Amino acid sequence: MTEDTKIKAECLDCKRQTNHQVIATKLHAPFSPHEYHDGKEYSIIQCLGCDQFSFLKTYHDYEARYAIDWEQDEFDHVRIYTNFYPDASEVLNKYRISLPENLYTIYEETKVAFTQNLDIFTAIGIRSIIEGICKDKKVTGRDLEKKISNLKNLGDISKRDVDLLHSLRFLGNDAVHALIKPERNDIIVAFNIIEHLIQAIYLMPKELKRTNFKIHLDEYSKFEEFIMEMIRNHISFDFSYNYSIKKLISPRGKIPYDKFGEFEQKLNSRIKSGELDWIEITQNENQSDSIQNNNETFYKINKVP
Ligand SMILES: [Zn+2]
């Protein structure tokens, strides 16, 4: 390799193979005729997609040769590339603002372990991240298996994600208790699953808030959580106003037509049984509502939940 050579390398930020430019490179290949002929090359490279700098180690196996073109008598030798980030924290900033501090710390260390090919530590870290998410989201269960199964009640993750997480539990377990080094490829897949999970639980909800998309409230727990979020986020929430459900979730929330009655009933019974103290059922006394629907229930907000 020479400076200004363009090569394909794995970019951690772009999360795929991208074109990189070699900024500086040094080949270290001491060769004596009695030894195996190989060498290591150390390069600083820059991703042409996201501009991030990283450090590339190339192992040259000069004796493992293969033909590029038999007729032209053209041969090349095998190269093995390993790409390191000098400081993964640069890539992680978007996670820092979205994750709770403890969870971010373990995520950051796990990512660094991952980039440095420390596969046992990465597996242990992945297991800790799952534990951390359960703790942060107050998902209970007597062991990690139960907790993972209960994670699906969060509403943000699918059954498929939960099944994948069960597999990751074993990965971490083997690494901690049996000191079994996981396969690199398993680690890469596992890390992708974890990042997907963090995206679904922590990043996407924040990003959605910045859009004008309607939030689809198809489960009661989402519906109730959404009302609480609306109250917490709207400083101008009026405690003397009589809200209908539609008003409570407007303008961002949307309930499927066939769920409306079910949600209303469940909300009412939870209020009546005293499970919810921040909201009460009331009569509609709003002067401004000229058209009144007698079937609608109205609510008053007592305090910020
Ligand atoms: Zn990149």
Side-chain angles (χ1 to χ4, degrees), residues 11 13-14 18 47 49-50:
C11 175
D13 207 358
C14 298
T18 57
C47 174
C50 69

Side-chain angles (χ1 to χ4, degrees), residues 1-7 20-25 43-46 48:
M1 258 185 294
T2 57
E3 279 159 34
D4 292 336
T5 307
K6 284 193 178 60
I7 54 154
H20 282 70
Q21 182 163 349
V22 177
I23 305 295
T25 193
S43 318
I44 298 168
I45 59 175
Q46 185 178 23
L48 294 172

Side-chain angles (χ1 to χ4, degrees), residues 93-105:
N93 265 336
K94 64 179 174 220
Y95 289 90
R96 188 190 289 275
I97 51 169
S98 302
L99 262 57
E101 202 180 330
N102 289 346
L103 189 59
Y104 175 78
T105 308

Side-chain angles (χ1 to χ4, degrees), residues 38-54:
D38 60 0
K40 288 174 190 144
E41 187 171 8
Y42 304 93
S43 318
I44 298 168
I45 59 175
Q46 185 178 23
C47 174
L48 294 172
C50 69
D51 291 339
Q52 279 288 347
F53 289 93
S54 59

